[in-house]
Amino acid sequence: MQKIKLLFLFVLITSISCAQKSPRKEAKGAINKVTVVADYGSPSVKGRTIWGGLVPYGKVWRAGANENTTVSFDKDVMLGGKSVKAGKYGFFIIPNENGEWVAIFSSVNDAWGSSKYSATNDVVRIKVTPTFATSVQESMQFSVGNSSLDFAWDKARLSIPVTSK
């Protein structure tokens, strides 16, 4: 009986110490019969300054935590008026202090972070105008809308238009 108690205690301690602070999440939906899936690590604000602080302005960011955020389409789509083949893409954002932000879909979908990001792998770059809510989205979240891939974290909101071909 004591061995079972020790095993249970070991499993409990291991589970708590290994729990991800930015859990992996998935947003899945359909836009005009195209299945769209965003797979991402979801960090929390935790009272930090996100834009211009944790995530610097003017620099490529992996749009999530830990391993890269990926977005996949099961059919060819148009992103911001540009043709993109069905497939799985690394997803990055360049936030800017003023004006438009840049959403990037990269052919490299298995990197860790953005330290090895290279513009030569860009499939498409889309300029997106952010909106800012009055309320904070504590945990980063992607969602699939009727005609867009949507992003929310802290007070920033992005909507990337997606249309089927």
Side-chain angles (χ1 to χ4, degrees):
M1 186 64 160
Q2 186 159 339
K3 286 183 181 181
I4 292 174
K5 287 180 184 179
L6 285 173
L7 179 61
F8 177 75
L9 182 62
F10 174 75
V11 169
L12 180 64
I13 291 170
T14 303
S15 297
I16 291 170
S17 64
C18 293
Q20 287 189 3
K21 293 180 181 179
S22 299
R24 213 67 200 158
K25 293 187 178 180
E26 180 180 273
K28 185 176 184 179
I31 298 173
N32 293 326
K33 299 183 183 180
V34 175
T35 301
V36 179
V37 180
D39 179 52
Y40 60 101
S42 177
S44 295
V45 174
K46 297 180 191 170
R48 301 177 288 186
T49 299
I50 301 302
W51 309 112
L54 180 66
V55 179
Y57 289 122
K59 296 194 183 273
V60 173
W61 172 60
R62 66 180 152 202
N66 304 323
E67 56 190 275
N68 274 56
T69 292
T70 61
V71 177
S72 62
F73 309 99
D74 71 341
K75 296 181 178 95
D76 295 354
V77 294
M78 300 291 287
L79 298 174
K82 299 174 184 176
S83 181
V84 175
K85 298 270 186 206
K88 182 177 178 181
Y89 299 93
F91 182 74
F92 300 89
I93 294 172
I94 301 174
N96 289 305
E97 189 168 9
N98 298 304
E100 297 177 312
W101 290 16
V102 179
I104 303 167
F105 292 82
S106 171
S107 61
V108 176
N109 63 31
D110 62 353
W112 182 272
S114 55
S115 62
K116 294 187 180 183
Y117 166 82
S118 173
T120 60
N121 297 314
D122 289 359
V123 173
V124 67
R125 281 180 171 229
I126 303 163
K127 291 183 179 182
V128 182
T129 302
T131 59
F132 294 91
T134 55
S135 61
V136 170
Q137 171 66 42
E138 179 64 30
S139 296
M140 194 185 80
Q141 177 181 323
F142 281 85
S143 58
V144 179
N146 290 331
S147 61
S148 61
L149 175 64
D150 301 319
F151 168 89
W153 194 34
D154 191 20
K155 293 184 177 182
R157 309 293 186 264
L158 296 175
S159 187
I160 300 152
V162 178
T163 55
S164 58
K165 284 185 77 175

